[in-house]
Amino acid sequence: MRFVDLIARKRDGLSLTAAELQSIVAGVVDGTLPDYQVAAFLMAVYFRGMSPAELATWADSMLRSGIVLDLSDIPGIKVDKHSTGGVGDKISLILAPLVAAAGVPVPMISGRGLGHTGGTLDKLEAIPGFNTQLDIETFRRLVRELRCGLIGQTAEIAPADRKLYALRDVTATVECIPLIASSIMSKKLAEGIDALVLDVKFGSGAFMAQLPRARELAQTMVAIGEAAGRKTVALLTDMNQPLGAMIGNSLEVIESCDVLRGGGPADIRELTLALSAEMLVLGGVSATIADARATLVKLLDNGAAFAQFEKIVAAQGGDARALSDYSRLPVATQVVDVVAESDGVVHGFECAEVGRAAMLLGAGRATRDDIVDPGVGLQMHVRIGSHVRRGDLLARAWVSDRSKTDEAFATLRDAIVLGDGPAVAGPLVLERIDASSLAP
Ligand code: URA
């Protein structure tokens, strides 16, 4: 069958066989399929979608396009967490050592931030010396010895995704649920995990702002995971305001350490507990979510989770003293207050714009090649429902380049939506989706 005929079949809404889909992924990776035809195929998928059977094969072919880690010789059920990305989302820094301290191995392969969202690797690299580019053998040793390793994507994992994503990026086919779901799941399932917890965000700071689309993405990813024989649970979580107060890499390390020592903002602690409890049940160390939460609360409050993080940081070359002595973290020395220009009640946030304000200060990347400044960022002083008067502190900014502050602060002020009368935030965790929630 010629590739043009497969493109035509997908364009006309017909299904492709497993062998046909596998041959397309193989042709993408070995370069025998020209970009213009792959681009046309992706656009056909954008409009016609993929059936669950097609998607399971497609994601499986993508994950097998590179190395698939085999961690089966490491005792325990290996569980990871993936977030679709948000503003102030530092949950992985807390959850990984916490879940490892509870006895569940967490092999975590993370990405960098782009646009308004932050990335776990950038946050970890704010810790002086922390090495996220470990080879696979070292990663495997850390997962065995400390039940946790925290590394970045390598070129060997799911190379099909790299090629397909690059084409999607320039052909307006990124915003396509089957393509997003297979992209995320192919990378996660190649990690050698047995189970996965997904934090799928909705709201003004989420990749999928609309709740129905976020739900569909969650269901699609759970279906791919289950088809691959991995227990997969997704929580739909609110991203209509920043998570916690801190946005920016060193600042988020500080806030994560506060939570790991039993303190920190209530929303960060709550979301970490909700996601981690699912991991403990999937990992077989707790029978129920309530049992898991009790275990996790103890590990946060008695310092065991923090001690586990210190060990992981030291094992990956980082300065573990910086986790207690924050003066060892790179933090910008200029501190500027951003104050309200009018009175009102915070009714909401254009949360992606809050993330963009931090990015403009240098905390994130506008393009993949930008270099982040670990020391800059924002500490939010208002949340949905806060009453503010003209002159009140909205946020404190740590800056290193004053030329960027005017645009960043204007962006931040515009992103805080003031109104009259009271306002309350929606629930942090809205829904839970697992295999039993999927249509038969
Ligand atoms: N993140 C990914 O890894 N892939 C996508 O397609 C979108 C977001």
Side-chain angles (χ1 to χ4, degrees):
M1 179 76 71
R2 296 174 313 157
F3 189 31
V4 63
D5 300 319
L6 302 185
I7 298 169
R9 291 239 307 278
K10 184 46 75 185
R11 179 201 64 199
D12 295 342
L14 302 172
S15 295
L16 302 187
T17 66
E20 287 165 346
L21 292 164
Q22 284 156 355
S23 74
I24 295 173
V25 173
V28 168
V29 176
D30 68 18
T32 50
L33 295 181
D35 285 355
Y36 52 85
Q37 282 191 303
V38 179
F41 179 76
L42 291 169
M43 190 58 87
V45 172
Y46 181 92
F47 283 111
R48 292 298 192 170
M50 281 189 178
S51 70
E54 284 181 306
L55 200 47
T57 305
W58 182 254
D60 182 68
S61 311
M62 284 174 70
L63 89 90
R64 287 178 204 288
S65 67
I67 59 162
V68 181
L69 265 64
D70 179 1
L71 302 178
S72 57
D73 57 327
I74 297 175
I77 299 172
K78 272 70 70 184
V79 190
D80 192 11
K81 187 263 323 183
H82 175 79
S83 157
T84 54
V87 179
D89 181 1
K90 69 272 301 169
I91 302 294
S92 291
L93 271 65
I94 311 158
L95 166 146
L98 172 60
V99 172
V104 177
V106 185
M108 189 175 271
I109 303 185
S110 306
R112 297 191 180 279
L114 186 62
H116 73 274
T117 61
T120 298
L121 291 189
D122 300 320
K123 298 174 212 231
L124 290 169
E125 288 175 357
I127 303 168
F130 195 100
N131 183 4
T132 60
Q133 307 302 309
L134 303 177
D135 60 67
I136 294 297
E137 273 322 303
T138 310
F139 178 62
R140 186 193 292 281
R141 182 174 58 73
L142 290 178
V143 177
R144 182 192 298 282
E145 291 174 1
L146 296 176
R147 287 189 298 277
C148 183
L150 302 165
I151 61 167
Q153 279 292 327
T154 73
E156 297 101 355
I157 290 184
D161 179 60
R162 196 151 311 178
K163 292 209 173 182
L164 288 169
Y165 194 90
L167 276 177
R168 287 167 59 205
D169 210 18
V170 293
T171 55
T173 51
V174 168
E175 298 86 353
C176 169
I177 285 179
L179 297 178
I180 297 167
S182 52
S183 161
I184 293 173
M185 293 301 286
S186 63
K187 289 175 285 199
K188 283 282 136 182
L189 297 177
E191 283 177 1
I193 50 171
D194 303 304
L196 179 64
V197 174
L198 296 162
D199 178 4
V200 181
K201 298 190 177 298
F202 64 91
S204 60
F207 182 56
M208 285 287 164
Q210 300 307 317
L211 176 60
R213 295 268 297 162
R215 185 183 289 121
E216 191 185 336
L217 176 62
Q219 289 166 337
T220 307
M221 289 196 288
V222 169
I224 291 174
E226 293 287 333
R230 293 357 186 276
K231 287 251 166 303
T232 308
V233 172
L235 298 184
L236 281 177
T237 74
D238 186 282
M239 192 70 256
N240 282 298
Q241 61 182 335
L243 273 169
M246 300 298 206
I247 309 163
N249 298 298
S250 284
L251 299 176
E252 293 193 46
V253 170
I254 293 171
E255 194 165 68
S256 301
C257 291
D258 291 348
V259 177
L260 277 165
R261 277 194 294 259
D267 61 336
I268 295 284
R269 179 171 160 113
E270 177 49 34
L271 186 54
T272 305
L273 288 173
L275 293 161
S276 304
E278 297 287 352
M279 293 174 76
L280 263 54
V281 172
L282 288 174
V285 306
S286 298
T288 65
I289 292 292
D291 287 351
R293 284 182 72 103
T295 302
L296 294 163
V297 164
K298 211 177 288 169
L299 294 169
L300 286 177
D301 294 346
N302 70 10
F306 180 72
Q308 188 78 19
F309 193 41
E310 286 183 313
K311 282 189 209 156
I312 296 163
V313 167
Q316 296 201 210
D319 178 3
R321 292 168 299 178
L323 308 179
S324 301
D325 173 3
Y326 299 149
S327 71
R328 302 181 84 91
L329 289 170
V331 176
T333 48
Q334 299 182 66
V335 182
V336 186
D337 287 349
V338 183
V339 298
E341 290 176 341
S342 55
D343 301 349
V345 175
V346 178
H347 275 214
F349 290 86
E350 293 298 336
C351 193
E353 289 299 291
V354 178
R356 209 169 69 79
M359 185 198 83
L360 288 169
L361 292 177
R365 292 182 185 78
T367 69
R368 277 177 207 282
D369 298 329
D370 287 351
I371 302 208
V372 297
D373 180 341
V376 300
L378 297 166
Q379 179 182 34
M380 300 302 294
H381 280 252
V382 291
R383 297 185 63 72
I384 292 175
S386 298
H387 290 252
V388 295
R389 307 199 65 127
R390 189 182 155 85
D392 281 354
L393 185 59
L394 295 174
R396 182 153 284 159
W398 278 260
V399 304
S400 37
D401 179 355
R402 288 301 285 260
S403 71
K404 297 176 179 169
T405 54
D406 284 354
E407 188 186 354
F409 295 168
T411 302
L412 178 63
R413 276 202 190 85
D414 288 348
I416 301 174
V417 183
L418 294 181
D420 300 321
V424 278
L428 189 56
V429 179
L430 191 70
E431 274 174 42
R432 178 181 186 280
I433 294 167
D434 66 9
S436 69
S437 355
L438 301 179

Short mmCIF file of all heavy atoms in Angstrom, two decimals, residues 62 82-84 153 161 164-165 168 173-187 207-208 217 368, ligand 1:
data_model
loop_
_atom_site.label_atom_id
_atom_site.label_comp_id
_atom_site.label_asym_id
_atom_site.label_seq_id
_atom_site.Cartn_x
_atom_site.Cartn_y
_atom_site.Cartn_z
N MET A 62 4.99 4.14 18.70
CA MET A 62 5.84 5.30 19.07
C MET A 62 6.75 4.95 20.23
O MET A 62 7.94 5.27 20.24
CB MET A 62 4.96 6.50 19.44
CG MET A 62 4.35 7.19 18.24
SD MET A 62 3.19 8.45 18.75
CE MET A 62 4.31 9.68 19.43
N HIS A 82 2.60 12.08 35.79
CA HIS A 82 2.83 13.07 34.74
C HIS A 82 1.79 14.18 34.88
O HIS A 82 0.61 13.89 35.09
CB HIS A 82 2.72 12.45 33.34
CG HIS A 82 2.83 13.45 32.24
ND1 HIS A 82 4.04 13.96 31.83
CD2 HIS A 82 1.88 14.10 31.52
CE1 HIS A 82 3.83 14.86 30.88
NE2 HIS A 82 2.53 14.96 30.67
N SER A 83 2.24 15.41 34.74
CA SER A 83 1.30 16.53 34.75
C SER A 83 1.28 17.16 33.37
O SER A 83 2.32 17.25 32.71
CB SER A 83 1.77 17.57 35.78
OG SER A 83 1.24 18.83 35.47
N THR A 84 0.09 17.60 32.95
CA THR A 84 0.02 18.25 31.64
C THR A 84 0.54 19.69 31.70
O THR A 84 0.57 20.38 30.69
CB THR A 84 -1.43 18.23 31.08
OG1 THR A 84 -2.30 18.81 32.06
CG2 THR A 84 -1.87 16.82 30.76
N GLN A 153 14.45 13.76 29.48
CA GLN A 153 14.26 12.96 28.27
C GLN A 153 15.60 12.72 27.59
O GLN A 153 16.41 13.63 27.52
CB GLN A 153 13.39 13.74 27.28
CG GLN A 153 11.92 13.67 27.55
CD GLN A 153 11.37 12.30 27.33
OE1 GLN A 153 11.84 11.57 26.47
NE2 GLN A 153 10.41 11.91 28.14
N ASP A 161 8.32 10.41 18.58
CA ASP A 161 7.60 11.58 19.10
C ASP A 161 8.34 12.86 18.75
O ASP A 161 7.72 13.87 18.39
CB ASP A 161 7.42 11.47 20.62
CG ASP A 161 6.69 12.70 21.14
OD1 ASP A 161 5.56 12.94 20.69
OD2 ASP A 161 7.26 13.45 21.96
N LEU A 164 7.62 13.59 15.11
CA LEU A 164 6.22 13.95 14.87
C LEU A 164 5.89 15.29 15.50
O LEU A 164 5.20 16.11 14.91
CB LEU A 164 5.29 12.86 15.45
CG LEU A 164 5.29 11.54 14.66
CD1 LEU A 164 4.56 10.45 15.45
CD2 LEU A 164 4.63 11.74 13.29
N TYR A 165 6.42 15.54 16.73
CA TYR A 165 6.10 16.79 17.40
C TYR A 165 6.66 17.98 16.61
O TYR A 165 6.00 19.01 16.46
CB TYR A 165 6.62 16.81 18.85
CG TYR A 165 5.98 17.95 19.60
CD1 TYR A 165 4.78 17.76 20.29
CD2 TYR A 165 6.52 19.23 19.57
CE1 TYR A 165 4.15 18.82 20.93
CE2 TYR A 165 5.90 20.29 20.20
CZ TYR A 165 4.73 20.08 20.88
OH TYR A 165 4.10 21.12 21.51
N ARG A 168 4.29 18.58 13.87
CA ARG A 168 3.01 19.12 14.37
C ARG A 168 3.14 20.60 14.71
O ARG A 168 2.24 21.39 14.47
CB ARG A 168 2.58 18.34 15.62
CG ARG A 168 2.07 16.94 15.31
CD ARG A 168 1.97 16.11 16.58
NE ARG A 168 1.09 16.71 17.55
CZ ARG A 168 1.16 16.51 18.87
NH1 ARG A 168 2.06 15.70 19.37
NH2 ARG A 168 0.32 17.10 19.68
N THR A 173 -0.98 21.22 14.06
CA THR A 173 -1.62 19.95 14.46
C THR A 173 -1.23 19.54 15.87
O THR A 173 -1.34 18.37 16.23
CB THR A 173 -1.29 18.82 13.46
OG1 THR A 173 0.13 18.78 13.27
CG2 THR A 173 -1.97 19.02 12.13
N VAL A 174 -0.76 20.52 16.68
CA VAL A 174 -0.44 20.18 18.08
C VAL A 174 -1.73 19.92 18.86
O VAL A 174 -1.85 18.96 19.60
CB VAL A 174 0.40 21.30 18.75
CG1 VAL A 174 0.48 21.10 20.25
CG2 VAL A 174 1.81 21.31 18.17
N GLU A 175 -2.74 20.77 18.65
CA GLU A 175 -3.95 20.73 19.49
C GLU A 175 -4.90 19.61 19.03
O GLU A 175 -6.02 19.86 18.61
CB GLU A 175 -4.68 22.08 19.44
CG GLU A 175 -3.86 23.23 19.97
CD GLU A 175 -2.96 23.87 18.91
OE1 GLU A 175 -2.87 23.32 17.78
OE2 GLU A 175 -2.35 24.89 19.20
N CYS A 176 -4.45 18.40 19.11
CA CYS A 176 -5.22 17.25 18.63
C CYS A 176 -5.12 16.17 19.70
O CYS A 176 -4.01 15.68 19.98
CB CYS A 176 -4.62 16.79 17.30
SG CYS A 176 -5.24 15.22 16.73
N ILE A 177 -6.24 15.83 20.32
CA ILE A 177 -6.17 14.97 21.51
C ILE A 177 -5.50 13.62 21.25
O ILE A 177 -4.62 13.22 22.01
CB ILE A 177 -7.57 14.85 22.15
CG1 ILE A 177 -7.85 16.18 22.88
CG2 ILE A 177 -7.66 13.66 23.11
CD1 ILE A 177 -9.17 16.30 23.56
N PRO A 178 -5.82 12.89 20.17
CA PRO A 178 -5.12 11.61 19.97
C PRO A 178 -3.61 11.79 19.82
O PRO A 178 -2.83 10.98 20.32
CB PRO A 178 -5.72 11.05 18.67
CG PRO A 178 -6.98 11.81 18.45
CD PRO A 178 -6.86 13.12 19.15
N LEU A 179 -3.20 12.88 19.16
CA LEU A 179 -1.76 13.10 18.96
C LEU A 179 -1.09 13.53 20.25
O LEU A 179 0.05 13.13 20.54
CB LEU A 179 -1.51 14.11 17.84
CG LEU A 179 -1.99 13.67 16.44
CD1 LEU A 179 -1.75 14.79 15.42
CD2 LEU A 179 -1.29 12.39 15.99
N ILE A 180 -1.77 14.34 21.06
CA ILE A 180 -1.19 14.75 22.35
C ILE A 180 -1.09 13.53 23.26
O ILE A 180 -0.06 13.28 23.89
CB ILE A 180 -2.07 15.82 23.04
CG1 ILE A 180 -2.16 17.09 22.21
CG2 ILE A 180 -1.55 16.13 24.44
CD1 ILE A 180 -3.26 18.05 22.66
N ALA A 181 -2.19 12.78 23.34
CA ALA A 181 -2.23 11.64 24.26
C ALA A 181 -1.16 10.61 23.90
O ALA A 181 -0.45 10.09 24.77
CB ALA A 181 -3.62 11.00 24.25
N SER A 182 -1.00 10.32 22.60
CA SER A 182 0.00 9.32 22.21
C SER A 182 1.41 9.87 22.42
O SER A 182 2.33 9.11 22.78
CB SER A 182 -0.21 8.87 20.76
OG SER A 182 -0.28 9.98 19.90
N SER A 183 1.58 11.17 22.23
CA SER A 183 2.90 11.78 22.45
C SER A 183 3.31 11.64 23.92
O SER A 183 4.41 11.17 24.24
CB SER A 183 2.83 13.26 22.03
OG SER A 183 3.87 14.00 22.58
N ILE A 184 2.41 12.02 24.82
CA ILE A 184 2.73 11.96 26.25
C ILE A 184 2.92 10.50 26.69
O ILE A 184 3.90 10.15 27.35
CB ILE A 184 1.61 12.63 27.08
CG1 ILE A 184 1.57 14.14 26.81
CG2 ILE A 184 1.79 12.34 28.58
CD1 ILE A 184 0.39 14.87 27.45
N MET A 185 1.97 9.66 26.31
CA MET A 185 1.99 8.28 26.83
C MET A 185 3.14 7.47 26.26
O MET A 185 3.70 6.62 26.94
CB MET A 185 0.64 7.59 26.55
CG MET A 185 -0.51 8.20 27.33
SD MET A 185 -0.29 8.15 29.13
CE MET A 185 -0.57 6.42 29.47
N SER A 186 3.54 7.73 25.02
CA SER A 186 4.65 6.95 24.46
C SER A 186 5.92 7.20 25.26
O SER A 186 6.69 6.27 25.55
CB SER A 186 4.87 7.28 22.98
OG SER A 186 5.23 8.63 22.83
N LYS A 187 6.13 8.45 25.69
CA LYS A 187 7.34 8.77 26.46
C LYS A 187 7.26 8.16 27.85
O LYS A 187 8.23 7.64 28.39
CB LYS A 187 7.54 10.29 26.52
CG LYS A 187 7.96 10.87 25.18
CD LYS A 187 8.05 12.38 25.20
CE LYS A 187 6.70 13.02 25.19
NZ LYS A 187 6.62 14.41 24.79
N PHE A 207 -2.87 23.62 29.67
CA PHE A 207 -2.69 23.34 28.25
C PHE A 207 -4.07 23.14 27.60
O PHE A 207 -4.34 23.62 26.51
CB PHE A 207 -1.82 22.09 28.16
CG PHE A 207 -1.47 21.64 26.79
CD1 PHE A 207 -0.83 22.49 25.92
CD2 PHE A 207 -1.76 20.35 26.37
CE1 PHE A 207 -0.49 22.06 24.65
CE2 PHE A 207 -1.43 19.92 25.12
CZ PHE A 207 -0.80 20.78 24.25
N MET A 208 -4.95 22.43 28.30
CA MET A 208 -6.34 22.25 27.86
C MET A 208 -7.21 23.11 28.77
O MET A 208 -7.59 22.67 29.86
CB MET A 208 -6.78 20.79 28.04
CG MET A 208 -6.23 19.86 27.05
SD MET A 208 -7.06 20.14 25.48
CE MET A 208 -5.91 19.29 24.42
N LEU A 217 -8.97 14.36 27.07
CA LEU A 217 -7.54 14.03 27.04
C LEU A 217 -7.21 12.99 28.12
O LEU A 217 -6.50 12.01 27.86
CB LEU A 217 -6.69 15.29 27.24
CG LEU A 217 -5.18 15.09 27.32
CD1 LEU A 217 -4.62 14.50 26.02
CD2 LEU A 217 -4.45 16.41 27.65
N ARG A 368 12.37 27.00 22.65
CA ARG A 368 13.12 25.89 23.26
C ARG A 368 14.58 26.22 23.56
O ARG A 368 15.18 25.64 24.45
CB ARG A 368 13.09 24.67 22.31
CG ARG A 368 11.84 23.87 22.47
CD ARG A 368 11.74 22.71 21.50
NE ARG A 368 10.33 22.42 21.27
CZ ARG A 368 9.56 21.75 22.13
NH1 ARG A 368 10.07 21.28 23.25
NH2 ARG A 368 8.30 21.55 21.87
N1 URA B 1 3.20 17.53 25.67
C1 URA B 1 3.71 16.49 24.98
O1 URA B 1 4.59 15.79 25.44
N2 URA B 1 3.20 16.23 23.75
C2 URA B 1 2.21 16.95 23.20
O2 URA B 1 1.78 16.65 22.10
C3 URA B 1 1.69 18.03 23.93
C4 URA B 1 2.21 18.30 25.17
#
